[in-house]
Amino acid sequence: RPLLDSEGSQVLLVGPAGAGAATKLANQLMMLSALAGAHEALELAAAHGVAAEKVFEVVGSSTGDSWVARNWGFFDRTAAAYDTAGTPKRERPWSKDLFEVVAAARAVDLRVPVAALLAQTLADRVEAHAADAQEQR
């Protein structure tokens, strides 16, 4: 804890041993679900001739607002950094963390169909979008 305190990190105790890891996975599932929804939403809007920038302008003051919407492009930059570092695609959060969510749920006999679906589909979408973003630069 002294090390974390010296870094200015907020330390929150959330429960017994393992609770912090479960909370981190819960956060990742919420964020990655929003990411998947944002990708689909932007594809829908684009198919109807609406630019992503306009969608984000509207969403910024609407119920669809999220960290993902406010930080669009974060995952494109992160994927590019992982590419530069040689990080395997299976080890990136949008892949690895979702499989960990499914495994943690399975360990307690809990069904997580959204996480399971995202574990199978989101990584390809994130990687493809990041590659397109790189090509446009």
Side-chain angles (χ1 to χ4, degrees):
R1 181 167 183 142
L3 176 62
L4 292 174
D5 287 340
S6 73
E7 293 295 316
S9 299
Q10 184 179 15
V11 178
L12 298 172
L13 300 176
V14 294
T23 303
K24 184 249 187 192
L25 291 176
N27 177 78
Q28 293 300 88
L29 178 55
M30 289 179 191
M31 182 264 304
L32 293 169
S33 295
L35 179 60
H39 275 286
E40 288 187 9
L42 292 175
E43 289 172 12
L44 174 66
H48 287 276
V50 182
E53 297 77 27
K54 289 297 180 185
V55 173
F56 289 129
E57 184 179 335
V58 171
V59 167
S61 61
S62 300
T63 58
D65 188 30
S66 67
W67 182 92
V68 168
R70 290 186 304 278
N71 293 280
W72 192 250
F74 169 84
F75 294 96
D76 295 338
R77 293 186 302 275
T78 302
Y82 283 140
D83 286 343
T84 300
T87 304
K89 291 180 179 173
R90 71 181 177 280
E91 294 300 320
R92 299 174 186 195
W94 44 86
S95 179
K96 174 187 68 70
D97 289 0
L98 287 167
F99 279 95
E100 289 178 7
V101 167
V102 172
R106 186 178 182 118
V108 294
D109 200 27
L110 180 68
R111 296 176 197 271
V112 287
V114 171
L117 177 63
L118 293 178
Q120 297 297 318
T121 60
L122 183 60
D124 290 341
R125 179 172 263 152
V126 171
E127 296 293 342
H129 191 274
D132 289 346
Q134 277 295 101
E135 286 179 14
Q136 292 176 9
R137 288 185 182 163

